[in-house]
Amino acid sequence: MTDTIKYTLPESAIPKHWYNLAADLPAPPPPVLHPGTLKPIGPDDLAPLFPLVLIQQEVSTEREIEIPGPVRDVYRQWRVTPLYRARRLEAALQTPARIYYKYEGVSPAGSHKPNTAVAQAFYNKEAGAKRIATETGAGQWGSSLAFAGAVFGLEVQVFMVRVSYNQKPYRRALMETYGARCIASPSSETQYGRSVLAEHPDSNGSLGIAISEAVEVAASCDDTKYALGSVLNHVLLHQTVIGQEAIAQLALADDYPDVVVGCTGGGSNFAGIAFPFIGEQLRGGKKVRVVAVEPAACPSLTRGRYAYDFGDTGHLTPLTKMHTLGSTFMPPGFHAGGLRYHGMAPLVSHIKELGLIEARAYPQTQCFEAGVTFARAEGIVPAPEANHAVKGAIDEALRCREEGVSRAILFNLCGHGHFDMQAYTDYFAGKLVDASYDEKELAMALAGLPSVAG
Amino acid sequence: MTDTIKYTLPESAIPKHWYNLAADLPAPPPPVLHPGTLKPIGPDDLAPLFPLVLIQQEVSTEREIEIPGPVRDVYRQWRVTPLYRARRLEAALQTPARIYYKYEGVSPAGSHKPNTAVAQAFYNKEAGAKRIATETGAGQWGSSLAFAGAVFGLEVQVFMVRVSYNQKPYRRALMETYGARCIASPSSETQYGRSVLAEHPDSNGSLGIAISEAVEVAASCDDTKYALGSVLNHVLLHQTVIGQEAIAQLALADDYPDVVVGCTGGGSNFAGIAFPFIGEQLRGGKKVRVVAVEPAACPSLTRGRYAYDFGDTGHLTPLTKMHTLGSTFMPPGFHAGGLRYHGMAPLVSHIKELGLIEARAYPQTQCFEAGVTFARAEGIVPAPEANHAVKGAIDEALRCREEGVSRAILFNLCGHGHFDMQAYTDYFAGKLVDASYDEKELAMALAGLPSVAG
């Protein structure tokens, strides 16, 4: 019996609360600072951007935060997501490892992003917002928020990084099918966008620029709020349904991971799978190695500095302490657009400093090679972002083979690659290159970090 | 409570047998004829193309045919597929109807096709085949067989209609990711392909031509068999897991459909959802209206003749009695490539003649309009093929509203549209046209039908 095994759970097993890692940490993360005063910000500072409930979640130290009924009702459409034992992959790798993966690609938008998009849309609707403005890179987040907006009857306005807007028309089409308005960024719709265009009329855009535009729209319109798809505490919180479900599903398999692997861009899918396991460990449970895998071309955790920085290029956001390559750092183009962000979630950065997680960086061709191996064994084609987690898990499994040890490896397969087949086409054609950033530019971006004590 | 409801079942509820409608029919379908002798064919005639077990299934009159363990093991990766009560769509349509849909897009290839691809790959592997040759239009079938071939360690060679090969590189990339070889048809790899190219060097190809090429390869190589993704009895048989699961899931909802709707190209997803319900009715169960929805641009059931015809353009296949537009009929281009076939499954055609099903044809723009309404309400973007079923179901639901009657409507959402976003882009840009065929060409194609008594 070498076939892939699925562990399912009934709808009643969908978590009733999100898990808040902050409750179990030995030390709290550093405060978020106001960009003007450099003093810790309060709820009022964020009120123009977010509904109060999300601001409260951002700073909460409660261990369990109840998932509202209407959010769980929408989750039920695709949750509990399957947990698989990758028996066919194990056979292909000839490894004694027990490889498990949690598959978030079954959501309507094809990734883990709806876990937080639905929650954010719900709270915004409750708070009386008419519209949400956001940014998107490759489009996974934008399409997920568009889906959630359609469900709750909210207008969604997405600033999409221009290079992706032009190169990835199908994610844009998905957003429009859900009824969202998608705008290439930098755009002429915001003051910041116009200032960028004035200086660089041919700007390809970046996530940092698109964030500035969306924040500006939200800050200047009474009926409009802002939503972010990763990085912030409340976003990571909403993703913890993934890990909580995985714990219950692994119990069905009578197993527990020795290693948990996730890919990291802003940090949300990684947090989703990892935080519940880290929490169990902090409360006296089994020690688990937790590995964050990031692209070598944008290596905030492995090459960035742990320092206060802005979340955007226009410096409209508060300052958070995180592993950052500098807000002016421009990563080279690569296919995992969802991982092209200069900073890492403050909470993920904090636990890296606490020694609770490891980090590793891989070039994209190695990740695609791993993704193709996975697809041929398991039948699911991963998104380029997810290929980083696949690569990390396969490396762990190969180490088990070398050492002749059977370990349980769990990774998060955060999305399918059906919108990303051009990347696979390029890979097979030998056109995929491992572009690297310019070390001098990185040094300059780091030198430009705001000088904040702490 | 207006939210979409999911009805799930545990893995143990995956059907243990396929349901064979032939066992319950009041009259058997007409025999399949040898193209040379015009006499009914025997198993030996098909042996070069198919393994014996599939030939036996093709002519079986057993009601239940056991699903082999290894096939069920692969099915378990995504089956039982969800059955949804479309409460959000009902609310959007303000209809008293109870709308249910069975969602086959959760399979690794994104459609219902793996239900038969896995079975066919298994039987071919068992019979000692090294390779399977097949054809594909839009690519749903080719990618599903590529997936199944990867699982069972079989080479897969796909002749892809040239126009799709060029226009839909992403389905091709999916096949290649699974390790299959994809060839634009007409190709220079077969005698028939070369003959077409000699006459029409710029030929766009067609399903009929691609079938001829794949059949030729299988007939001329000892280690190679042929596989078809629709039309044949055994293919329809394998799809009946859909309807069997739906019956069990509707029992959870304490409901039973008044109307069952499916889209039809070759007829396999329609048969998959409909045959188990028709079987219950034939055995004395509740009478159900069954509606086949086809594209107005390729209307075999509503405009074709019920007559003996070839399955391919090269006239290498046996003759089957079916609703056909003539094997030389070239439908105009439209986006539901999976529905662009000149003939209808003989078994579906037969029960149409027996009065067990209705048929309806819609132009594609109306289907896309319905698909967008569905996507905004339910969050799932349907494949263009599936939009025909969505349109059929929405029309039934609107009739319920007009009549003030609550009926239960079940339809098969046979695949997601993540590979078909160009069609949605064209729809939003107003570029989608309702091309119609030339009536004179249809008349000529029908006049060219082989003259066979019966």
Side-chain angles (χ1 to χ4, degrees):
Chain A
M1 166 55 198
T2 56
D3 243 300
T4 292
I5 305 174
K6 179 172 64 178
Y7 295 97
T8 46
L9 285 170
E11 230 170 77
S12 57
I14 296 173
K16 299 199 170 49
H17 60 267
W18 293 299
Y19 166 67
N20 184 8
L21 180 63
D24 290 315
L25 286 178
V32 175
L33 304 183
H34 190 283
T37 66
L38 299 187
K39 301 266 189 255
I41 57 165
D44 288 352
D45 295 311
L46 294 174
L49 298 184
F50 302 105
L52 187 61
V53 184
L54 291 176
I55 297 171
Q56 287 166 338
Q57 289 180 2
E58 191 64 19
V59 297
S60 169
T61 53
E62 295 287 313
R63 181 173 293 132
E64 300 190 345
I65 294 178
E66 193 185 345
I67 304 176
V71 173
R72 286 185 86 237
D73 283 343
V74 181
Y75 280 177
R76 285 186 303 139
Q77 192 175 355
W78 70 94
R79 307 209 71 85
V80 174
T81 62
L83 177 93
Y84 291 106
R85 167 90 186 264
R87 295 290 292 263
R88 294 199 297 256
L89 179 64
E90 292 169 16
L93 299 174
Q94 298 180 283
T95 175
R98 308 182 307 283
I99 308 176
Y100 298 91
Y101 59 99
K102 181 77 168 159
Y103 184 40
E104 290 292 308
V106 293
S107 83
S111 79
H112 65 293
K113 294 286 186 189
N115 294 332
T116 183
V118 169
Q120 292 191 52
F122 167 76
Y123 288 123
N124 274 287
K125 182 74 179 180
E126 284 270 289
K130 295 266 179 298
R131 202 200 302 161
I132 308 184
T134 195
E135 72 291 325
T136 200
Q140 287 201 338
W141 166 244
S143 54
S144 298
L145 192 67
F147 155 68
V151 168
F152 288 106
L154 279 165
E155 282 177 49
V156 174
Q157 187 169 341
V158 184
F159 290 91
M160 186 171 188
V161 177
R162 185 176 292 274
V163 63
S164 296
Y165 184 92
N166 291 329
Q167 285 178 357
K168 307 205 167 185
Y170 298 137
R171 281 272 176 199
R172 171 159 48 107
L174 182 59
M175 294 180 232
E176 288 169 354
T177 301
Y178 287 138
R181 190 163 154 251
C182 188
I183 304 140
S185 165
S187 79
S188 57
E189 300 205 5
T190 66
Q191 202 176 329
Y192 183 68
R194 288 188 294 272
S195 77
V196 173
L197 286 173
E199 204 170 336
H200 306 286
D202 300 326
S203 169
N204 274 330
S206 73
L207 265 178
I209 293 169
I211 292 175
S212 297
E213 291 205 273
V215 166
E216 184 184 322
V217 166
S220 57
C221 302
D222 276 348
D223 61 355
T224 304
K225 295 286 180 188
Y226 170 69
L228 193 65
S230 191
V231 177
L232 298 180
N233 298 347
H234 68 268
V235 181
L236 276 51
L237 174 79
H238 300 155
Q239 294 294 352
T240 58
V241 289
I242 302 172
Q244 289 184 72
E245 287 178 3
I247 289 172
Q249 288 165 301
L250 282 165
L252 280 185
D254 200 19
D255 213 338
Y256 199 88
D258 298 293
V259 192
V260 174
V261 181
C263 65
T264 46
S268 78
N269 97 75
F270 170 79
I273 190 104
F275 282 9
F277 289 95
I278 296 172
E280 291 213 327
Q281 173 180 331
L282 289 170
R283 295 192 305 278
K286 189 183 153 188
K287 166 109 182 94
V288 180
R289 277 181 56 223
V290 178
V291 181
V293 182
E294 63 182 9
C298 192
S300 57
L301 271 174
T302 53
R303 294 291 316 278
R305 188 173 300 165
Y306 186 55
Y308 273 102
D309 196 7
F310 292 97
D312 68 331
T313 312
H315 295 183
L316 303 177
T317 69
L319 291 161
T320 53
K321 194 157 184 185
M322 58 183 177
H323 289 90
T324 177
L325 300 161
S327 66
T328 58
F329 176 76
M330 286 295 258
F334 57 93
H335 273 289
L339 308 183
R340 280 185 82 235
Y341 185 62
H342 68 275
M344 179 50 55
L347 207 45
V348 172
S349 297
H350 180 57
I351 62 171
K352 170 77 163 43
E353 290 300 301
L354 292 175
L356 293 169
I357 63 170
E358 307 167 22
R360 207 180 287 167
Y362 291 108
Q364 66 175 349
T365 50
Q366 290 181 28
C367 297
F368 274 88
E369 187 186 3
V372 170
T373 299
F374 179 84
R376 289 182 185 175
E378 294 295 312
I380 300 171
V381 178
E385 291 80 5
N387 278 343
H388 291 75
V390 173
K391 169 67 179 163
I394 286 181
D395 272 11
E396 292 291 331
L398 293 178
R399 224 172 73 184
C400 287
R401 185 174 76 183
E402 278 165 33
E403 297 174 9
V405 180
S406 173
R407 290 190 200 97
I409 301 162
L410 167 68
F411 73 95
N412 194 22
L413 190 67
C414 60
H416 69 59
H418 292 177
F419 287 100
D420 308 284
M421 296 312 297
Q422 185 62 48
Y424 283 90
T425 302
D426 291 350
Y427 171 71
F428 288 120
K431 286 187 193 158
L432 214 64
V433 291
D434 288 328
S436 66
Y437 52 86
D438 184 317
E439 290 283 351
K440 272 187 202 155
E441 281 180 22
L442 173 58
M444 272 178 61
L446 289 173
L449 284 172
S451 57
V452 180
Chain B
M1 164 57 194
T2 56
D3 243 300
T4 292
I5 305 174
K6 179 172 65 178
Y7 295 97
T8 46
L9 285 171
E11 229 170 78
S12 56
I14 296 174
K16 298 198 170 49
H17 61 266
W18 293 300
Y19 166 67
N20 184 7
L21 180 63
D24 290 317
L25 286 178
V32 175
L33 305 183
H34 190 285
T37 64
L38 299 188
K39 301 266 190 256
I41 57 165
D44 288 354
D45 295 311
L46 294 174
L49 297 184
F50 302 106
L52 186 61
V53 185
L54 290 176
I55 297 172
Q56 287 166 341
Q57 289 180 2
E58 190 65 18
V59 296
S60 169
T61 52
E62 294 287 313
R63 181 173 294 133
E64 300 190 344
I65 293 178
E66 193 185 344
I67 304 176
V71 173
R72 287 184 86 236
D73 284 344
V74 180
Y75 279 177
R76 285 186 303 140
Q77 192 175 354
W78 70 93
R79 307 209 72 86
V80 173
T81 62
L83 177 94
Y84 290 107
R85 167 89 186 264
R87 295 289 291 261
R88 294 199 296 255
L89 178 64
E90 293 168 16
L93 299 175
Q94 298 180 283
T95 175
R98 308 178 312 279
I99 307 177
Y100 298 91
Y101 59 99
K102 180 76 170 161
Y103 184 39
E104 290 291 308
V106 293
S107 83
S111 78
H112 66 292
K113 294 286 187 188
N115 295 331
T116 184
V118 169
Q120 292 191 52
F122 167 75
Y123 288 122
N124 273 285
K125 182 73 178 182
E126 283 270 289
K130 295 266 180 296
R131 201 201 301 161
I132 308 185
T134 196
E135 72 291 325
T136 200
Q140 286 201 339
W141 165 244
S143 54
S144 298
L145 192 67
F147 155 67
V151 169
F152 288 106
L154 278 166
E155 284 177 47
V156 174
Q157 187 170 338
V158 184
F159 290 91
M160 186 171 188
V161 176
R162 186 175 292 274
V163 63
S164 296
Y165 184 92
N166 291 328
Q167 284 177 358
K168 306 206 167 184
Y170 298 136
R171 280 271 177 198
R172 172 161 46 109
L174 182 58
M175 294 181 233
E176 289 170 353
T177 302
Y178 287 138
R181 192 166 152 248
C182 189
I183 305 139
S185 166
S187 79
S188 56
E189 300 205 5
T190 66
Q191 204 176 328
Y192 183 68
R194 288 189 294 272
S195 76
V196 173
L197 287 173
E199 205 172 335
H200 306 286
D202 299 326
S203 169
N204 273 331
S206 73
L207 265 180
I209 294 169
I211 293 175
S212 297
E213 291 205 273
V215 165
E216 183 184 322
V217 166
S220 57
C221 302
D222 276 349
D223 61 355
T224 304
K225 296 287 181 189
Y226 170 68
L228 192 66
S230 190
V231 178
L232 298 179
N233 298 347
H234 69 268
V235 181
L236 276 53
L237 175 79
H238 300 155
Q239 294 294 352
T240 58
V241 289
I242 302 171
Q244 291 184 72
E245 287 178 4
I247 289 173
Q249 287 164 303
L250 282 165
L252 281 185
D254 201 18
D255 212 339
Y256 199 87
D258 298 293
V259 192
V260 175
V261 180
C263 64
T264 46
S268 78
N269 96 76
F270 170 78
I273 190 102
F275 282 9
F277 289 95
I278 295 172
E280 291 212 326
Q281 174 180 331
L282 289 171
R283 295 192 305 277
K286 189 183 154 187
K287 167 111 182 92
V288 181
R289 276 181 57 224
V290 178
V291 182
V293 183
E294 62 182 9
C298 191
S300 56
L301 272 175
T302 53
R303 294 293 315 277
R305 188 173 299 165
Y306 185 56
Y308 272 103
D309 196 7
F310 291 97
D312 67 331
T313 311
H315 294 183
L316 302 178
T317 68
L319 292 161
T320 53
K321 196 158 183 184
M322 58 182 178
H323 290 89
T324 178
L325 301 162
S327 65
T328 58
F329 176 76
M330 287 295 258
F334 57 93
H335 273 290
L339 308 183
R340 280 183 84 236
Y341 185 61
H342 68 275
M344 179 50 57
L347 208 46
V348 172
S349 296
H350 180 57
I351 63 171
K352 171 77 163 42
E353 291 300 301
L354 292 176
L356 293 169
I357 63 170
E358 306 166 21
R360 208 180 288 167
Y362 291 107
Q364 67 174 349
T365 51
Q366 290 181 27
C367 297
F368 273 88
E369 187 186 2
V372 170
T373 299
F374 179 84
R376 288 182 185 174
E378 294 294 312
I380 299 171
V381 178
E385 291 80 4
N387 278 342
H388 290 74
V390 173
K391 169 67 178 162
I394 286 181
D395 272 11
E396 291 291 331
L398 294 177
R399 224 172 72 183
C400 288
R401 185 175 74 184
E402 279 165 32
E403 297 174 9
V405 180
S406 172
R407 291 191 201 96
I409 301 163
L410 167 68
F411 72 97
N412 193 23
L413 190 67
C414 60
H416 69 59
H418 292 177
F419 287 99
D420 307 284
M421 296 313 295
Q422 185 60 48
Y424 284 90
T425 302
D426 291 349
Y427 171 71
F428 288 120
K431 287 188 195 160
L432 214 62
V433 290
D434 288 328
S436 65
Y437 52 85
D438 184 317
E439 290 284 351
K440 273 187 202 156
E441 280 179 25
L442 173 57
M444 270 179 62
L446 289 173
L449 284 172
S451 58
V452 179

